[in-house]
PDB file of all heavy atoms in Angstrom:
ATOM      1  N   ASP F  61     -13.207   9.331   1.757  1.00  0.00           N
ATOM      2  CA  ASP F  61     -12.286  10.354   2.537  1.00  0.00           C
ATOM      3  C   ASP F  61     -12.200   9.979   3.952  1.00  0.00           C
ATOM      4  O   ASP F  61     -11.043   9.918   4.525  1.00  0.00           O
ATOM      5  CB  ASP F  61     -12.831  11.761   2.343  1.00  0.00           C
ATOM      6  CG  ASP F  61     -12.859  12.278   0.848  1.00  0.00           C
ATOM      7  OD1 ASP F  61     -12.444  11.472   0.010  1.00  0.00           O
ATOM      8  OD2 ASP F  61     -13.215  13.473   0.656  1.00  0.00           O
ATOM      9  N   ASP F  62     -13.341   9.570   4.576  1.00  0.00           N
ATOM     10  CA  ASP F  62     -13.349   9.174   5.941  1.00  0.00           C
ATOM     11  C   ASP F  62     -12.518   7.996   6.169  1.00  0.00           C
ATOM     12  O   ASP F  62     -11.849   7.933   7.240  1.00  0.00           O
ATOM     13  CB  ASP F  62     -14.796   8.994   6.403  1.00  0.00           C
ATOM     14  CG  ASP F  62     -15.648  10.260   6.396  1.00  0.00           C
ATOM     15  OD1 ASP F  62     -15.027  11.326   6.493  1.00  0.00           O
ATOM     16  OD2 ASP F  62     -16.932  10.175   6.485  1.00  0.00           O
ATOM     17  N   LEU F  64      -9.919   7.073   4.592  1.00  0.00           N
ATOM     18  CA  LEU F  64      -8.483   7.492   4.464  1.00  0.00           C
ATOM     19  C   LEU F  64      -8.106   8.200   5.775  1.00  0.00           C
ATOM     20  O   LEU F  64      -6.955   7.747   6.295  1.00  0.00           O
ATOM     21  CB  LEU F  64      -8.393   8.552   3.298  1.00  0.00           C
ATOM     22  CG  LEU F  64      -6.972   9.174   3.220  1.00  0.00           C
ATOM     23  CD1 LEU F  64      -5.931   8.054   2.902  1.00  0.00           C
ATOM     24  CD2 LEU F  64      -6.955  10.269   2.126  1.00  0.00           C
ATOM     25  N   VAL F  65      -8.858   9.033   6.182  1.00  0.00           N
ATOM     26  CA  VAL F  65      -8.478   9.730   7.603  1.00  0.00           C
ATOM     27  C   VAL F  65      -8.351   8.686   8.702  1.00  0.00           C
ATOM     28  O   VAL F  65      -7.328   8.758   9.461  1.00  0.00           O
ATOM     29  CB  VAL F  65      -9.587  10.751   8.006  1.00  0.00           C
ATOM     30  CG1 VAL F  65      -9.327  11.258   9.378  1.00  0.00           C
ATOM     31  CG2 VAL F  65      -9.541  11.896   6.995  1.00  0.00           C
ATOM     32  N   ALA F  66      -9.249   7.651   8.704  1.00  0.00           N
ATOM     33  CA  ALA F  66      -9.147   6.659   9.780  1.00  0.00           C
ATOM     34  C   ALA F  66      -7.908   5.786   9.636  1.00  0.00           C
ATOM     35  O   ALA F  66      -7.219   5.578  10.699  1.00  0.00           O
ATOM     36  CB  ALA F  66     -10.367   5.803   9.670  1.00  0.00           C
ATOM     37  N   LEU F  68      -5.112   6.737   8.224  1.00  0.00           N
ATOM     38  CA  LEU F  68      -3.854   7.496   8.628  1.00  0.00           C
ATOM     39  C   LEU F  68      -3.751   7.700  10.129  1.00  0.00           C
ATOM     40  O   LEU F  68      -2.682   7.634  10.693  1.00  0.00           O
ATOM     41  CB  LEU F  68      -3.978   8.899   7.910  1.00  0.00           C
ATOM     42  CG  LEU F  68      -3.827   8.863   6.338  1.00  0.00           C
ATOM     43  CD1 LEU F  68      -4.164  10.324   5.831  1.00  0.00           C
ATOM     44  CD2 LEU F  68      -2.417   8.400   6.069  1.00  0.00           C
ATOM     45  N   LYS F  69      -4.843   7.885  10.737  1.00  0.00           N
ATOM     46  CA  LYS F  69      -4.834   8.155  12.244  1.00  0.00           C
ATOM     47  C   LYS F  69      -4.453   6.824  13.027  1.00  0.00           C
ATOM     48  O   LYS F  69      -3.941   6.886  14.074  1.00  0.00           O
ATOM     49  CB  LYS F  69      -6.166   8.564  12.803  1.00  0.00           C
ATOM     50  CG  LYS F  69      -6.527   9.971  12.425  1.00  0.00           C
ATOM     51  CD  LYS F  69      -7.743  10.522  13.026  1.00  0.00           C
ATOM     52  CE  LYS F  69      -8.044  12.039  12.870  1.00  0.00           C
ATOM     53  NZ  LYS F  69      -9.174  12.599  13.439  1.00  0.00           N
ATOM     54  N   LEU F  74       2.461   9.062  13.704  1.00  0.00           N
ATOM     55  CA  LEU F  74       2.316   9.806  12.450  1.00  0.00           C
ATOM     56  C   LEU F  74       2.554  11.201  12.552  1.00  0.00           C
ATOM     57  O   LEU F  74       1.902  11.933  13.372  1.00  0.00           O
ATOM     58  CB  LEU F  74       0.900   9.545  11.783  1.00  0.00           C
ATOM     59  CG  LEU F  74       0.702  10.178  10.427  1.00  0.00           C
ATOM     60  CD1 LEU F  74       1.553   9.587   9.323  1.00  0.00           C
ATOM     61  CD2 LEU F  74      -0.817  10.125  10.091  1.00  0.00           C
ATOM     62  N   LEU F  76       2.781  14.154   9.758  1.00  0.00           N
ATOM     63  CA  LEU F  76       2.741  14.627   8.362  1.00  0.00           C
ATOM     64  C   LEU F  76       3.305  15.914   8.225  1.00  0.00           C
ATOM     65  O   LEU F  76       2.719  16.909   9.027  1.00  0.00           O
ATOM     66  CB  LEU F  76       1.274  14.392   7.862  1.00  0.00           C
ATOM     67  CG  LEU F  76       0.765  13.027   7.644  1.00  0.00           C
ATOM     68  CD1 LEU F  76      -0.599  13.062   7.067  1.00  0.00           C
ATOM     69  CD2 LEU F  76       1.636  12.207   6.716  1.00  0.00           C
ATOM     70  N   ARG F  92     -12.752  19.149  -1.146  1.00  0.00           N
ATOM     71  CA  ARG F  92     -13.302  18.583   0.191  1.00  0.00           C
ATOM     72  C   ARG F  92     -12.337  17.728   0.789  1.00  0.00           C
ATOM     73  O   ARG F  92     -12.040  17.773   2.041  1.00  0.00           O
ATOM     74  CB  ARG F  92     -14.708  17.908  -0.128  1.00  0.00           C
ATOM     75  CG  ARG F  92     -15.382  17.535   1.181  1.00  0.00           C
ATOM     76  CD  ARG F  92     -16.875  17.157   0.849  1.00  0.00           C
ATOM     77  NE  ARG F  92     -16.976  16.141  -0.162  1.00  0.00           N
ATOM     78  CZ  ARG F  92     -17.561  16.320  -1.308  1.00  0.00           C
ATOM     79  NH1 ARG F  92     -18.078  17.517  -1.701  1.00  0.00           N
ATOM     80  NH2 ARG F  92     -17.695  15.340  -2.168  1.00  0.00           N
ATOM     81  N   LEU F  93     -11.739  16.848   0.042  1.00  0.00           N
ATOM     82  CA  LEU F  93     -10.667  15.957   0.641  1.00  0.00           C
ATOM     83  C   LEU F  93      -9.448  16.831   1.140  1.00  0.00           C
ATOM     84  O   LEU F  93      -9.010  16.537   2.240  1.00  0.00           O
ATOM     85  CB  LEU F  93     -10.153  15.001  -0.418  1.00  0.00           C
ATOM     86  CG  LEU F  93      -8.808  14.123  -0.053  1.00  0.00           C
ATOM     87  CD1 LEU F  93      -9.195  13.275   1.176  1.00  0.00           C
ATOM     88  CD2 LEU F  93      -8.562  13.217  -1.213  1.00  0.00           C
ATOM     89  N   MET F  94      -9.000  17.764   0.324  1.00  0.00           N
ATOM     90  CA  MET F  94      -7.871  18.541   0.774  1.00  0.00           C
ATOM     91  C   MET F  94      -8.182  19.375   2.127  1.00  0.00           C
ATOM     92  O   MET F  94      -7.445  19.474   2.947  1.00  0.00           O
ATOM     93  CB  MET F  94      -7.468  19.625  -0.360  1.00  0.00           C
ATOM     94  CG  MET F  94      -6.885  18.839  -1.586  1.00  0.00           C
ATOM     95  SD  MET F  94      -6.781  19.994  -3.013  1.00  0.00           S
ATOM     96  CE  MET F  94      -5.361  20.993  -2.368  1.00  0.00           C
ATOM     97  N   ALA F  95      -9.447  19.835   2.158  1.00  0.00           N
ATOM     98  CA  ALA F  95      -9.841  20.471   3.405  1.00  0.00           C
ATOM     99  C   ALA F  95      -9.836  19.651   4.557  1.00  0.00           C
ATOM    100  O   ALA F  95      -9.437  20.031   5.725  1.00  0.00           O
ATOM    101  CB  ALA F  95     -11.236  21.286   3.155  1.00  0.00           C
ATOM    102  N   SER F  96     -10.295  18.429   4.423  1.00  0.00           N
ATOM    103  CA  SER F  96     -10.369  17.409   5.455  1.00  0.00           C
ATOM    104  C   SER F  96      -8.951  17.187   5.973  1.00  0.00           C
ATOM    105  O   SER F  96      -8.776  16.980   7.195  1.00  0.00           O
ATOM    106  CB  SER F  96     -11.052  16.165   5.016  1.00  0.00           C
ATOM    107  OG  SER F  96     -11.089  15.203   6.037  1.00  0.00           O
ATOM    108  N   LEU F  97      -8.074  16.951   5.163  1.00  0.00           N
ATOM    109  CA  LEU F  97      -6.600  16.602   5.349  1.00  0.00           C
ATOM    110  C   LEU F  97      -5.952  17.766   6.260  1.00  0.00           C
ATOM    111  O   LEU F  97      -5.245  17.624   7.203  1.00  0.00           O
ATOM    112  CB  LEU F  97      -5.789  16.369   4.167  1.00  0.00           C
ATOM    113  CG  LEU F  97      -6.177  15.145   3.523  1.00  0.00           C
ATOM    114  CD1 LEU F  97      -5.406  14.925   2.022  1.00  0.00           C
ATOM    115  CD2 LEU F  97      -5.893  13.813   4.311  1.00  0.00           C
ATOM    116  N   GLN F  98      -6.323  19.019   5.827  1.00  0.00           N
ATOM    117  CA  GLN F  98      -5.862  20.158   6.546  1.00  0.00           C
ATOM    118  C   GLN F  98      -6.398  20.310   7.933  1.00  0.00           C
ATOM    119  O   GLN F  98      -5.647  20.601   8.907  1.00  0.00           O
ATOM    120  CB  GLN F  98      -6.176  21.411   5.727  1.00  0.00           C
ATOM    121  CG  GLN F  98      -5.511  22.657   6.442  1.00  0.00           C
ATOM    122  CD  GLN F  98      -5.599  23.948   5.451  1.00  0.00           C
ATOM    123  OE1 GLN F  98      -6.198  23.831   4.383  1.00  0.00           O
ATOM    124  NE2 GLN F  98      -5.019  25.050   5.957  1.00  0.00           N
ATOM    125  N   VAL F  99      -7.695  19.961   8.158  1.00  0.00           N
ATOM    126  CA  VAL F  99      -8.349  19.965   9.438  1.00  0.00           C
ATOM    127  C   VAL F  99      -7.824  18.908  10.377  1.00  0.00           C
ATOM    128  O   VAL F  99      -7.473  19.130  11.499  1.00  0.00           O
ATOM    129  CB  VAL F  99      -9.790  19.791   9.295  1.00  0.00           C
ATOM    130  CG1 VAL F  99     -10.510  19.419  10.579  1.00  0.00           C
ATOM    131  CG2 VAL F  99     -10.415  20.918   8.745  1.00  0.00           C
ATOM    132  N   HIS F 100      -7.674  17.670   9.759  1.00  0.00           N
ATOM    133  CA  HIS F 100      -7.196  16.603  10.685  1.00  0.00           C
ATOM    134  C   HIS F 100      -5.746  16.511  10.909  1.00  0.00           C
ATOM    135  O   HIS F 100      -5.256  15.948  11.944  1.00  0.00           O
ATOM    136  CB  HIS F 100      -7.541  15.222  10.004  1.00  0.00           C
ATOM    137  CG  HIS F 100      -9.154  15.039  10.164  1.00  0.00           C
ATOM    138  ND1 HIS F 100      -9.798  14.654  11.330  1.00  0.00           N
ATOM    139  CD2 HIS F 100     -10.114  15.142   9.221  1.00  0.00           C
ATOM    140  CE1 HIS F 100     -11.198  14.553  11.126  1.00  0.00           C
ATOM    141  NE2 HIS F 100     -11.362  14.911   9.858  1.00  0.00           N
ATOM    142  N   PHE F 101      -4.908  16.996   9.931  1.00  0.00           N
ATOM    143  CA  PHE F 101      -3.476  16.692  10.097  1.00  0.00           C
ATOM    144  C   PHE F 101      -2.625  18.018   9.882  1.00  0.00           C
ATOM    145  O   PHE F 101      -1.417  17.914   9.974  1.00  0.00           O
ATOM    146  CB  PHE F 101      -3.005  15.621   8.968  1.00  0.00           C
ATOM    147  CG  PHE F 101      -3.700  14.331   9.053  1.00  0.00           C
ATOM    148  CD1 PHE F 101      -4.712  13.984   8.177  1.00  0.00           C
ATOM    149  CD2 PHE F 101      -3.395  13.340  10.042  1.00  0.00           C
ATOM    150  CE1 PHE F 101      -5.478  12.816   8.330  1.00  0.00           C
ATOM    151  CE2 PHE F 101      -4.202  12.245  10.168  1.00  0.00           C
ATOM    152  CZ  PHE F 101      -5.048  11.918   9.289  1.00  0.00           C
ATOM    153  N   GLY F 102      -3.276  19.087   9.637  1.00  0.00           N
ATOM    154  CA  GLY F 102      -2.504  20.285   9.578  1.00  0.00           C
ATOM    155  C   GLY F 102      -1.668  20.477   8.387  1.00  0.00           C
ATOM    156  O   GLY F 102      -0.663  21.263   8.393  1.00  0.00           O
ATOM    157  N   VAL F 103      -1.908  19.744   7.292  1.00  0.00           N
ATOM    158  CA  VAL F 103      -1.068  19.784   6.100  1.00  0.00           C
ATOM    159  C   VAL F 103      -1.870  20.486   4.993  1.00  0.00           C
ATOM    160  O   VAL F 103      -3.164  20.352   4.957  1.00  0.00           O
ATOM    161  CB  VAL F 103      -0.646  18.502   5.707  1.00  0.00           C
ATOM    162  CG1 VAL F 103       0.433  17.857   6.551  1.00  0.00           C
ATOM    163  CG2 VAL F 103      -1.756  17.468   5.416  1.00  0.00           C
TER     164      VAL F 103
END
Side-chain angles (χ1 to χ4, degrees):
D61 297 0
D62 290 342
L64 173 64
V65 170
L68 292 172
K69 286 187 173 181
L74 180 69
L76 293 180
R92 188 162 56 246
L93 171 59
M94 294 171 68
S96 177
L97 293 172
Q98 188 169 1
V99 168
H100 287 284
F101 303 104
V103 292

